[in-house]
Amino acid sequence: MSRRSLGLLTLVALSCLAASADSPNLLVDPFVGTDDMGHTFPGATVPFGLVQLSPQTDLVPYSSGDGYNPEAYRYCSGYQYGDTTIVGFAHTHFSGTGHSDLGDVLMMPTVGVLQLDPGTAEEPESGYRSRFSHQREAAEPGAYRVTLDDSGIEVELTATERVGVHRYTFPASDAAHLIVDLTANIYDYPGKTVWTSVRMENDRLLTGYRQTSGWARSRVLYFAIAFGKPVESYGLRNEEAEIYRGFWRRFDQDHDFPERVGRRVKCHFDWETAEGEQIVVKVALSSVSTAGAVANLEAEAPGWDFDGLRDRAKSRWAEELNRIKLDADPVILANFYTALFHSSMAPVVYSDVDGRSRGLDGNVFSSLGFTNYTVFSLWDTYRAQHPLLTILQPQRSVDMVRSLLAHRQQSVHGVLPVWSHHANENWCMIGYHAVSVLADAYLKGLGGFDADQALEAMIASADFDRYDGIGDYRQLGWVPADRQTSAASKTLEYAYDDWTIARVAESMGRTEVAAEFGRRAASWRNLYDPETGFLRARNADGSFPADFDPMDTHGQGYIEGNAWNYSLFVPHDVAGFIDLLGGPDALVTWLDNLFEMEIDDASIAANEDITRAGIIGNYVHGNEPSHHVPYLYCFAGQPWKTQARVRRIMTEMYRPAPDGLGGNDDLGQMSAWYVFSALGFYPVAPGSNQYVLGSPAVRRAEIDLAGGRSFVVIADNQAPGNVYVDSVRLNGAPLDRCYITHQEVAAGGELHFVMSDHPNREWATAAEQRPYSMSR
Amino acid sequence: MSRRSLGLLTLVALSCLAASADSPNLLVDPFVGTDDMGHTFPGATVPFGLVQLSPQTDLVPYSSGDGYNPEAYRYCSGYQYGDTTIVGFAHTHFSGTGHSDLGDVLMMPTVGVLQLDPGTAEEPESGYRSRFSHQREAAEPGAYRVTLDDSGIEVELTATERVGVHRYTFPASDAAHLIVDLTANIYDYPGKTVWTSVRMENDRLLTGYRQTSGWARSRVLYFAIAFGKPVESYGLRNEEAEIYRGFWRRFDQDHDFPERVGRRVKCHFDWETAEGEQIVVKVALSSVSTAGAVANLEAEAPGWDFDGLRDRAKSRWAEELNRIKLDADPVILANFYTALFHSSMAPVVYSDVDGRSRGLDGNVFSSLGFTNYTVFSLWDTYRAQHPLLTILQPQRSVDMVRSLLAHRQQSVHGVLPVWSHHANENWCMIGYHAVSVLADAYLKGLGGFDADQALEAMIASADFDRYDGIGDYRQLGWVPADRQTSAASKTLEYAYDDWTIARVAESMGRTEVAAEFGRRAASWRNLYDPETGFLRARNADGSFPADFDPMDTHGQGYIEGNAWNYSLFVPHDVAGFIDLLGGPDALVTWLDNLFEMEIDDASIAANEDITRAGIIGNYVHGNEPSHHVPYLYCFAGQPWKTQARVRRIMTEMYRPAPDGLGGNDDLGQMSAWYVFSALGFYPVAPGSNQYVLGSPAVRRAEIDLAGGRSFVVIADNQAPGNVYVDSVRLNGAPLDRCYITHQEVAAGGELHFVMSDHPNREWATAAEQRPYSMSR
């Protein structure tokens, strides 16, 4: 029975229960987002695990050498729910990205004639791939299983942080195989696989590495594969035309020869199997060396007890998901825990069990003194996912901050990561939002890292003139449109990031730094075009480019959002923006227009990364720059409109179905938006230490905090139609402002909403009851 | 003035002097062997240094993708004396090989228009290369210099073990460049450069690595380049067509951008220079990491005192060369010290200054507890070069043995190296002669390694059935000609190696092992073909293949030697071979025929790796399998013939001129033959602890031994015509046998020859006065 159909039954059965210590896993549907735009995957992982072991339903190249293949985009995570064949199970994936990489160490069990090519979806018999059906596929946090219809092999997957574990149940066969295809890549193109190496250390252990150049420009991943049943015969093939074979030609390297290197290495391992015979295979990864992978294997997954390892993976998830205990309606429960699950996929642990880790400079660092993380998609995740982790995962958050600082120390440019990617910088998207993450952590008092070093790193990143027009930005006050793409978006995001630096500097008594970055934080004002009323990209001479189309994104100086959306990216100075517009009502009108305008298909096409499923009116929830937008009504004294909007977004953009996500999940940012919003509050401007109140979707939520405290959210009179907040009490006392602070959350306590089916137009509307803004 | 022409003057000046503590360096001519077949190079190195920094006179590919290019062979060491242009100065070379690799980190200073291609020898202006002339080139141990005629730049080179040091004297120029071409390889072919990476850490330090796949199938070399003058501008270019550029396209990566990776990376570093301005550049290598290279740089070559570093390199050589102090005629002096110099080029130090080193399995090993060496061309060097090192370099020899054992532990096959090549096995040539090196070290009592482990490693290598017919050899008693090439050569060499194992096992009281390998050592007998009288390759069914040509090598079951030469490869059982032939006279006749027959050009062509310069009659000195042959007369009771032959070989095959070597120097084996022979004794069968006496070419030699002892060779009545030994005394007592033992040498003492112009047909002719043989 598929998890999807199981889901609905479970939801009914659990509809009246608060999540118990075991149940939250059952509320998660890993297939959510696997259809169409979500770019999630259904495979097995543990929270923040390096190994994300998941089926791949096709190997669609990013390019065959003659230009970008648009079909590749659907395969960012390797899996598309609509597909009917599986090519194999790979050990690394990104959850929800809109550009991709990884898909390392693709493995596929087969029986019968040995085939080393994947074959085509149209003719699965042409290769090692197999048909499958969602009827014989199931996934839950930490575990995945599927029956391969062509061979009858059942595949079960689970994982530890650094080890993927497979259990294959074979039919009787005198030719059972396991294919390990080291040529397979997500977003493949000619030359992406730089080099691979394999060594059959003995009949139960293969070691090796894969070196690729793609989104991560120079990445190496070491592995160790342990076989539960001694391999009876094998072949480590290299399919490239070897111009130079040297003295190796004296060996038959294709059969039972224990070492091979090359650019096109594929391996097969063979057994005779009895009917129903199970073979467990464990795959450990390491950034350091094959010896590191073997050590990870031995430390995390000794023995061959697949069930035990799977139970441990599930317990790890139950522990994470139980950090928030919920009482809510079934769909909310399913959405919430699935979102919390998807919010716990990245960053991933990158250091080995012994603490060693590869650095951005290629060197191996030992004794860093913390767990090193990678996969920071910061343009996405600084908004809500990192703020969520500061509440739920303070210790991991500290290690993540230290990982960012280590990245900076290893960077030849001396800057914090834009997108930290397996000891690489892939420079994806814009801004220097690592500074927001650092600032937020510092201002929330997380501690555990050197504040002076952090401020120095933030300043270095903000002053990295070579990057994306920062030099011009510092000189002119804006990124000039005639020299840079996305000049408006860049200017706006730099201004926000600069404000977080100013906040930290102020807090540390670094007055001059605070003043400088306070000035820079106001740079958004330079973009105001009184003629059109939008914040717009501006040329170096101060002029605004002609041919302005506020509905278009491309060529207008924006990225993943048009003028209607992006002009609202002043999260740190909403009050200033309101002043500029001429008052709160002007902002409300803007927001109402945004959410209610009718937009044609051409305008959707003119946006990036979205489909109609990801928008409401012209509001683009499928892309991150708008995530704070529905909360802006609170800054204009009309919180009831925020309440209605966020509940609608929660309902329309999040559904417990494979196509249930309105856009790329983006390493958990889309999901973290839901988690916060369902709890009733959202970090509009990380660095402010404020959460703006929205409309909780739950009846009750209990958030475990560090040190045995908890923060409880209660929503009396909760119902699908009761989207409005009638009143709020914090720790028993009436709360007349539409925000709470991080200190209030972190101290533990109770936030008690009373919901209503009609707006309360009096509550939290006064100027002093609105959230913080730098201009206030 | 060229070293070549300087050479003759120096020789005259020094003709009456014994070498002093400073002088031996002046007797060395690094250009010997750089013309034609020697495959040596004239560049700068210290003894056994990893860095062998030398000019390359062309970049001739091994293949352009459509088959072997025979022109490449001349460029095994990158330098051909007859060339008129230099393309640059690379940091790693093999001295004297007959197949090749390396040529890492090619650097070339230029002025004027920036050119990143080497251009052609015909039109040097078409690239960065320059004309040069031997008139403005000079080399001595540890130092090299040349004037680049096209630019007027003077280049001076020196080295430490792990650091190459350049000093460029520029003309006045507003466009002085240093080109670093990471695409350049010796024995290049499409795809050989797997990946390269560079990082400009600051304006005085570049780090990076080069990864190649050639003779070493998967090799990585890290480097750190320090500039004595801050770089004023630079470019790290990648010349490949980058299908995927990702988000890096936002940077101008060609100008002053500090990081680059790819398959075609070339760099330039630019300065303005004043007339005569000198810039020192240091290049450190490491097998471990760029951090390792930086540490090697700081430890070995701090500061910018080129003269001081060069003086130290020269002192290192003087120290090594002075281990043997000589009184001899000028040509002998030049030949001898040049040979001793060339005998001290390999193996090379492979571990970093901190003791860490990359292993055959790709992992980094720390704290091995010894200096790890690589570049073991064992088929060549087990014969005389390693035996020479056991006398002159006992501590290095122990570390070399431990390096061989470490290689075995890292080998997925669990075997000792055939050819240890920068953490790779290249499987070049035949046999498992590491066992000979281990056995020789053990039997000479070197100690310092685990004997049981060594014997186990020797047995594992000898029982490696998968390799070159060993399985058949063990079963049949010979390597079958219908299944293996070079079957006769392999059988003969296995038998010798097996004898060394038997010797060790016997010495350790491992009776069964000794008996088994004693049996195997007699396998050479299985090759005797009574019909032709040669030791011949034999089919699996015991038959001898038809179409036998004793003058041919190819297809006859031999390699680098025909039946006349290779049948004599029974160094451990010459007495047995004599018995088989029917008595000592038969061997003498064979040897006389061999040395005196007239051989036509077709037969020379039918041999491998030789030219007429490398042969005397049909005796092939240019290839190793014959190196012991002239000494075999002693086993037949006619030592005077050995004496005459070896003196002739010394005279004809070794001359102090660029074309002065009769064949590839083969990492010092050819040269070590000379060193031993000039001293009057030679290790015919390493493992026997015997040195067979020949005809010393020196008047007096004093060999420094460990512990302050010395072994002195005196040859009274020495003269070019006095090639015969009239009598010998050892430590004052008459010596009536034509061999001495290692124990006698190592104990220190005096070996006193009296030379004569006519043979003494009485001395050391009796059976009991002949050297050891297993059948005796």
Side-chain angles (χ1 to χ4, degrees), chain A residues 99 191 195 211 217-218 244 250 253 256 259 263 413 468, chain B residues 99 191 195 211 217-218 244 250 253 259 263 413 466 468:
Chain A
H99 197 86
W195 201 244
Q211 195 177 348
R217 196 155 72 152
S218 196
Y244 179 88
R250 65 179 68 176
Q253 293 184 72
D256 298 328
E259 54 181 327
R263 298 168 180 88
H413 308 285
D468 263 14
Chain B
H99 197 85
W195 201 243
Q211 194 176 347
R217 197 155 72 154
S218 195
Y244 179 90
R250 67 180 68 176
Q253 293 183 74
E259 52 182 329
R263 296 170 181 86
H413 308 285
R466 185 193 294 277
D468 263 14

mmCIF file of all heavy atoms in Angstrom, chain A residues 99 191 195 211 217-218 244 250 253 256 259 263 413 468, chain B residues 99 191 195 211 217-218 244 250 253 259 263 413 466 468:
data_model
loop_
_atom_site.group_PDB
_atom_site.id
_atom_site.type_symbol
_atom_site.label_atom_id
_atom_site.label_comp_id
_atom_site.label_asym_id
_atom_site.label_seq_id
_atom_site.Cartn_x
_atom_site.Cartn_y
_atom_site.Cartn_z
ATOM 1 N N HIS A 99 18.132 24.066 -8.542
ATOM 2 C CA HIS A 99 19.290 23.812 -9.379
ATOM 3 C C HIS A 99 19.887 22.598 -8.700
ATOM 4 O O HIS A 99 19.534 22.332 -7.545
ATOM 5 C CB HIS A 99 20.260 25.002 -9.342
ATOM 6 C CG HIS A 99 21.251 24.979 -10.479
ATOM 7 N ND1 HIS A 99 20.962 25.509 -11.702
ATOM 8 C CD2 HIS A 99 22.516 24.492 -10.555
ATOM 9 C CE1 HIS A 99 22.002 25.351 -12.505
ATOM 10 N NE2 HIS A 99 22.960 24.741 -11.830
ATOM 11 N N GLY A 191 31.710 15.384 -19.058
ATOM 12 C CA GLY A 191 32.860 15.834 -18.278
ATOM 13 C C GLY A 191 32.556 16.116 -16.824
ATOM 14 O O GLY A 191 33.462 16.439 -16.062
ATOM 15 N N TRP A 195 36.587 12.036 -12.117
ATOM 16 C CA TRP A 195 37.390 10.848 -11.864
ATOM 17 C C TRP A 195 36.691 9.985 -10.828
ATOM 18 O O TRP A 195 36.017 10.521 -9.947
ATOM 19 C CB TRP A 195 38.773 11.255 -11.346
ATOM 20 C CG TRP A 195 39.841 10.209 -11.514
ATOM 21 C CD1 TRP A 195 40.526 9.567 -10.514
ATOM 22 C CD2 TRP A 195 40.367 9.702 -12.739
ATOM 23 N NE1 TRP A 195 41.436 8.699 -11.062
ATOM 24 C CE2 TRP A 195 41.359 8.755 -12.415
ATOM 25 C CE3 TRP A 195 40.091 9.946 -14.082
ATOM 26 C CZ2 TRP A 195 42.080 8.053 -13.379
ATOM 27 C CZ3 TRP A 195 40.806 9.251 -15.047
ATOM 28 C CH2 TRP A 195 41.786 8.320 -14.697
ATOM 29 N N GLN A 211 34.688 11.993 -7.992
ATOM 30 C CA GLN A 211 35.092 13.397 -8.071
ATOM 31 C C GLN A 211 34.289 14.011 -9.211
ATOM 32 O O GLN A 211 34.289 13.474 -10.318
ATOM 33 C CB GLN A 211 36.583 13.387 -8.381
ATOM 34 C CG GLN A 211 37.309 14.658 -8.184
ATOM 35 C CD GLN A 211 38.799 14.456 -8.454
ATOM 36 O OE1 GLN A 211 39.282 13.329 -8.567
ATOM 37 N NE2 GLN A 211 39.504 15.550 -8.572
ATOM 38 N N ARG A 217 31.986 22.961 -7.905
ATOM 39 C CA ARG A 217 32.906 22.976 -9.030
ATOM 40 C C ARG A 217 33.990 21.916 -8.924
ATOM 41 O O ARG A 217 34.521 21.464 -9.927
ATOM 42 C CB ARG A 217 33.537 24.359 -9.168
ATOM 43 C CG ARG A 217 34.181 24.562 -10.507
ATOM 44 C CD ARG A 217 34.264 26.008 -10.906
ATOM 45 N NE ARG A 217 35.223 26.744 -10.153
ATOM 46 C CZ ARG A 217 35.850 27.821 -10.625
ATOM 47 N NH1 ARG A 217 35.564 28.262 -11.835
ATOM 48 N NH2 ARG A 217 36.708 28.466 -9.903
ATOM 49 N N SER A 218 34.336 21.555 -7.706
ATOM 50 C CA SER A 218 35.406 20.566 -7.545
ATOM 51 C C SER A 218 35.120 19.796 -6.271
ATOM 52 O O SER A 218 35.552 20.167 -5.195
ATOM 53 C CB SER A 218 36.756 21.274 -7.479
ATOM 54 O OG SER A 218 37.807 20.375 -7.693
ATOM 55 N N TYR A 244 45.367 5.329 -23.016
ATOM 56 C CA TYR A 244 46.594 4.796 -22.442
ATOM 57 C C TYR A 244 46.227 3.716 -21.434
ATOM 58 O O TYR A 244 45.556 3.996 -20.451
ATOM 59 C CB TYR A 244 47.362 5.917 -21.749
ATOM 60 C CG TYR A 244 48.634 5.449 -21.098
ATOM 61 C CD1 TYR A 244 49.828 5.410 -21.810
ATOM 62 C CD2 TYR A 244 48.634 5.022 -19.775
ATOM 63 C CE1 TYR A 244 50.992 4.963 -21.212
ATOM 64 C CE2 TYR A 244 49.799 4.572 -19.172
ATOM 65 C CZ TYR A 244 50.979 4.554 -19.898
ATOM 66 O OH TYR A 244 52.126 4.113 -19.301
ATOM 67 N N ARG A 250 48.096 -6.155 -18.887
ATOM 68 C CA ARG A 250 48.415 -7.562 -18.664
ATOM 69 C C ARG A 250 47.384 -8.260 -17.767
ATOM 70 O O ARG A 250 47.398 -9.472 -17.640
ATOM 71 C CB ARG A 250 49.808 -7.714 -18.081
ATOM 72 C CG ARG A 250 49.966 -7.116 -16.713
ATOM 73 C CD ARG A 250 51.371 -7.323 -16.201
ATOM 74 N NE ARG A 250 52.325 -6.545 -16.988
ATOM 75 C CZ ARG A 250 53.622 -6.468 -16.709
ATOM 76 N NH1 ARG A 250 54.118 -7.157 -15.709
ATOM 77 N NH2 ARG A 250 54.424 -5.710 -17.421
ATOM 78 N N GLN A 253 41.057 -6.885 -16.388
ATOM 79 C CA GLN A 253 40.549 -5.952 -15.375
ATOM 80 C C GLN A 253 39.028 -5.981 -15.242
ATOM 81 O O GLN A 253 38.489 -5.331 -14.364
ATOM 82 C CB GLN A 253 40.994 -4.529 -15.707
ATOM 83 C CG GLN A 253 42.498 -4.339 -15.576
ATOM 84 C CD GLN A 253 42.890 -2.900 -15.814
ATOM 85 O OE1 GLN A 253 42.653 -2.013 -15.003
ATOM 86 N NE2 GLN A 253 43.474 -2.646 -16.955
ATOM 87 N N ASP A 256 36.631 -9.801 -11.583
ATOM 88 C CA ASP A 256 37.227 -10.100 -10.287
ATOM 89 C C ASP A 256 38.588 -9.450 -10.108
ATOM 90 O O ASP A 256 39.456 -9.983 -9.420
ATOM 91 C CB ASP A 256 37.341 -11.628 -10.087
ATOM 92 C CG ASP A 256 35.963 -12.285 -10.086
ATOM 93 O OD1 ASP A 256 35.000 -11.643 -9.644
ATOM 94 O OD2 ASP A 256 35.854 -13.434 -10.539
ATOM 95 N N GLU A 259 40.770 -3.461 -8.509
ATOM 96 C CA GLU A 259 40.927 -2.008 -8.508
ATOM 97 C C GLU A 259 40.697 -1.458 -9.894
ATOM 98 O O GLU A 259 41.039 -2.078 -10.893
ATOM 99 C CB GLU A 259 42.293 -1.587 -7.962
ATOM 100 C CG GLU A 259 43.480 -2.224 -8.632
ATOM 101 C CD GLU A 259 44.801 -1.770 -8.018
ATOM 102 O OE1 GLU A 259 44.904 -0.618 -7.564
ATOM 103 O OE2 GLU A 259 45.737 -2.580 -8.007
ATOM 104 N N ARG A 263 36.913 7.550 -15.761
ATOM 105 C CA ARG A 263 35.817 8.510 -15.814
ATOM 106 C C ARG A 263 34.465 7.849 -16.010
ATOM 107 O O ARG A 263 33.441 8.508 -15.929
ATOM 108 C CB ARG A 263 36.070 9.497 -16.963
ATOM 109 C CG ARG A 263 37.341 10.322 -16.781
ATOM 110 C CD ARG A 263 37.714 11.062 -18.063
ATOM 111 N NE ARG A 263 38.918 11.855 -17.881
ATOM 112 C CZ ARG A 263 40.155 11.382 -18.070
ATOM 113 N NH1 ARG A 263 40.351 10.142 -18.430
ATOM 114 N NH2 ARG A 263 41.208 12.167 -17.874
ATOM 115 N N HIS A 413 38.681 34.004 -0.764
ATOM 116 C CA HIS A 413 38.178 35.369 -0.789
ATOM 117 C C HIS A 413 37.965 35.917 0.627
ATOM 118 O O HIS A 413 37.646 37.089 0.784
ATOM 119 C CB HIS A 413 36.854 35.433 -1.550
ATOM 120 C CG HIS A 413 36.925 34.797 -2.907
ATOM 121 N ND1 HIS A 413 37.555 35.392 -3.973
ATOM 122 C CD2 HIS A 413 36.473 33.597 -3.363
ATOM 123 C CE1 HIS A 413 37.473 34.592 -5.036
ATOM 124 N NE2 HIS A 413 36.830 33.499 -4.695
ATOM 125 N N ASP A 468 29.167 40.583 -7.320
ATOM 126 C CA ASP A 468 27.803 41.034 -7.626
ATOM 127 C C ASP A 468 27.555 42.521 -7.362
ATOM 128 O O ASP A 468 26.512 42.898 -6.809
ATOM 129 C CB ASP A 468 26.813 40.222 -6.775
ATOM 130 C CG ASP A 468 26.243 39.051 -7.576
ATOM 131 O OD1 ASP A 468 26.799 38.727 -8.643
ATOM 132 O OD2 ASP A 468 25.248 38.478 -7.119
ATOM 133 N N HIS B 99 60.390 4.671 -20.175
ATOM 134 C CA HIS B 99 58.961 4.944 -20.310
ATOM 135 C C HIS B 99 58.798 6.105 -19.357
ATOM 136 O O HIS B 99 59.674 6.315 -18.522
ATOM 137 C CB HIS B 99 58.136 3.746 -19.853
ATOM 138 C CG HIS B 99 56.707 3.783 -20.341
ATOM 139 N ND1 HIS B 99 56.346 3.317 -21.567
ATOM 140 C CD2 HIS B 99 55.566 4.229 -19.760
ATOM 141 C CE1 HIS B 99 55.044 3.468 -21.725
ATOM 142 N NE2 HIS B 99 54.547 4.019 -20.636
ATOM 143 N N GLY B 191 43.445 13.600 -22.205
ATOM 144 C CA GLY B 191 42.827 13.080 -20.981
ATOM 145 C C GLY B 191 43.820 12.763 -19.885
ATOM 146 O O GLY B 191 43.424 12.411 -18.778
ATOM 147 N N TRP B 195 42.702 16.609 -13.647
ATOM 148 C CA TRP B 195 42.134 17.761 -12.965
ATOM 149 C C TRP B 195 43.267 18.583 -12.379
ATOM 150 O O TRP B 195 44.293 18.007 -11.977
ATOM 151 C CB TRP B 195 41.195 17.323 -11.835
ATOM 152 C CG TRP B 195 40.201 18.360 -11.412
ATOM 153 C CD1 TRP B 195 40.105 18.947 -10.189
ATOM 154 C CD2 TRP B 195 39.138 18.901 -12.200
ATOM 155 N NE1 TRP B 195 39.049 19.817 -10.181
ATOM 156 C CE2 TRP B 195 38.438 19.814 -11.395
ATOM 157 C CE3 TRP B 195 38.716 18.705 -13.516
ATOM 158 C CZ2 TRP B 195 37.348 20.541 -11.869
ATOM 159 C CZ3 TRP B 195 37.629 19.419 -13.984
ATOM 160 C CH2 TRP B 195 36.956 20.320 -13.154
ATOM 161 N N GLN B 211 46.393 16.480 -10.990
ATOM 162 C CA GLN B 211 45.997 15.085 -10.908
ATOM 163 C C GLN B 211 46.119 14.534 -12.328
ATOM 164 O O GLN B 211 45.571 15.121 -13.266
ATOM 165 C CB GLN B 211 44.548 15.088 -10.436
ATOM 166 C CG GLN B 211 44.003 13.803 -9.961
ATOM 167 C CD GLN B 211 42.588 13.989 -9.441
ATOM 168 O OE1 GLN B 211 42.131 15.118 -9.221
ATOM 169 N NE2 GLN B 211 41.889 12.905 -9.259
ATOM 170 N N ARG B 217 48.641 5.533 -12.726
ATOM 171 C CA ARG B 217 47.281 5.573 -13.238
ATOM 172 C C ARG B 217 46.427 6.621 -12.552
ATOM 173 O O ARG B 217 45.475 7.131 -13.137
ATOM 174 C CB ARG B 217 46.645 4.182 -13.085
ATOM 175 C CG ARG B 217 45.437 4.038 -13.929
ATOM 176 C CD ARG B 217 45.152 2.598 -14.280
ATOM 177 N NE ARG B 217 44.663 1.843 -13.153
ATOM 178 C CZ ARG B 217 43.878 0.760 -13.300
ATOM 179 N NH1 ARG B 217 43.518 0.344 -14.494
ATOM 180 N NH2 ARG B 217 43.493 0.096 -12.258
ATOM 181 N N SER B 218 46.729 6.945 -11.322
ATOM 182 C CA SER B 218 45.891 7.914 -10.608
ATOM 183 C C SER B 218 46.779 8.638 -9.602
ATOM 184 O O SER B 218 46.921 8.224 -8.464
ATOM 185 C CB SER B 218 44.744 7.171 -9.909
ATOM 186 O OG SER B 218 43.737 8.065 -9.509
ATOM 187 N N TYR B 244 29.757 23.648 -18.479
ATOM 188 C CA TYR B 244 28.973 24.148 -17.348
ATOM 189 C C TYR B 244 29.797 25.193 -16.611
ATOM 190 O O TYR B 244 30.872 24.886 -16.100
ATOM 191 C CB TYR B 244 28.640 22.993 -16.406
ATOM 192 C CG TYR B 244 27.860 23.419 -15.191
ATOM 193 C CD1 TYR B 244 26.474 23.437 -15.219
ATOM 194 C CD2 TYR B 244 28.506 23.811 -14.018
ATOM 195 C CE1 TYR B 244 25.748 23.835 -14.109
ATOM 196 C CE2 TYR B 244 27.781 24.214 -12.916
ATOM 197 C CZ TYR B 244 26.412 24.220 -12.965
ATOM 198 O OH TYR B 244 25.691 24.613 -11.864
ATOM 199 N N ARG B 250 29.562 34.923 -13.072
ATOM 200 C CA ARG B 250 29.420 36.317 -12.645
ATOM 201 C C ARG B 250 30.767 36.980 -12.360
ATOM 202 O O ARG B 250 30.833 38.196 -12.170
ATOM 203 C CB ARG B 250 28.502 36.426 -11.434
ATOM 204 C CG ARG B 250 29.038 35.809 -10.197
ATOM 205 C CD ARG B 250 28.065 35.976 -9.043
ATOM 206 N NE ARG B 250 26.848 35.186 -9.258
ATOM 207 C CZ ARG B 250 25.861 35.096 -8.369
ATOM 208 N NH1 ARG B 250 25.919 35.773 -7.238
ATOM 209 N NH2 ARG B 250 24.814 34.345 -8.596
ATOM 210 N N GLN B 253 36.905 35.611 -14.355
ATOM 211 C CA GLN B 253 37.832 34.647 -13.765
ATOM 212 C C GLN B 253 39.215 34.674 -14.403
ATOM 213 O O GLN B 253 40.114 33.989 -13.921
ATOM 214 C CB GLN B 253 37.254 33.233 -13.871
ATOM 215 C CG GLN B 253 36.019 33.025 -13.017
ATOM 216 C CD GLN B 253 35.517 31.598 -13.099
ATOM 217 O OE1 GLN B 253 36.099 30.685 -12.536
ATOM 218 N NE2 GLN B 253 34.437 31.405 -13.826
ATOM 219 N N GLU B 259 40.980 31.873 -7.766
ATOM 220 C CA GLU B 259 40.841 30.417 -7.758
ATOM 221 C C GLU B 259 40.351 29.933 -9.102
ATOM 222 O O GLU B 259 39.558 30.595 -9.768
ATOM 223 C CB GLU B 259 39.907 29.938 -6.637
ATOM 224 C CG GLU B 259 38.556 30.603 -6.600
ATOM 225 C CD GLU B 259 37.692 30.110 -5.442
ATOM 226 O OE1 GLU B 259 37.809 28.950 -5.036
ATOM 227 O OE2 GLU B 259 36.895 30.916 -4.940
ATOM 228 N N ARG B 263 40.663 21.232 -16.454
ATOM 229 C CA ARG B 263 41.575 20.269 -17.078
ATOM 230 C C ARG B 263 42.660 20.957 -17.893
ATOM 231 O O ARG B 263 43.588 20.307 -18.361
ATOM 232 C CB ARG B 263 40.763 19.328 -17.984
ATOM 233 C CG ARG B 263 39.753 18.475 -17.228
ATOM 234 C CD ARG B 263 38.816 17.745 -18.181
ATOM 235 N NE ARG B 263 37.832 16.959 -17.487
ATOM 236 C CZ ARG B 263 36.649 17.420 -17.036
ATOM 237 N NH1 ARG B 263 36.311 18.681 -17.216
ATOM 238 N NH2 ARG B 263 35.816 16.631 -16.391
ATOM 239 N N HIS B 413 46.235 -5.832 -3.626
ATOM 240 C CA HIS B 413 46.647 -7.181 -3.961
ATOM 241 C C HIS B 413 47.532 -7.790 -2.866
ATOM 242 O O HIS B 413 47.854 -8.961 -2.930
ATOM 243 C CB HIS B 413 47.425 -7.190 -5.283
ATOM 244 C CG HIS B 413 46.699 -6.508 -6.399
ATOM 245 N ND1 HIS B 413 45.637 -7.064 -7.050
ATOM 246 C CD2 HIS B 413 46.854 -5.275 -6.948
ATOM 247 C CE1 HIS B 413 45.180 -6.214 -7.971
ATOM 248 N NE2 HIS B 413 45.906 -5.133 -7.924
ATOM 249 N N ARG B 466 47.788 -14.070 -10.025
ATOM 250 C CA ARG B 466 47.146 -13.290 -11.069
ATOM 251 C C ARG B 466 48.169 -12.580 -11.972
ATOM 252 O O ARG B 466 47.836 -12.176 -13.095
ATOM 253 C CB ARG B 466 46.289 -12.244 -10.351
ATOM 254 C CG ARG B 466 45.434 -11.385 -11.200
ATOM 255 C CD ARG B 466 44.889 -10.212 -10.407
ATOM 256 N NE ARG B 466 43.973 -10.578 -9.352
ATOM 257 C CZ ARG B 466 42.681 -10.815 -9.527
ATOM 258 N NH1 ARG B 466 42.166 -10.766 -10.714
ATOM 259 N NH2 ARG B 466 41.916 -11.115 -8.493
ATOM 260 N N ASP B 468 51.185 -12.021 -14.315
ATOM 261 C CA ASP B 468 52.210 -12.432 -15.286
ATOM 262 C C ASP B 468 52.529 -13.922 -15.250
ATOM 263 O O ASP B 468 53.700 -14.314 -15.334
ATOM 264 C CB ASP B 468 53.495 -11.635 -15.013
ATOM 265 C CG ASP B 468 53.594 -10.426 -15.931
ATOM 266 O OD1 ASP B 468 52.593 -10.060 -16.565
ATOM 267 O OD2 ASP B 468 54.693 -9.838 -15.994
#
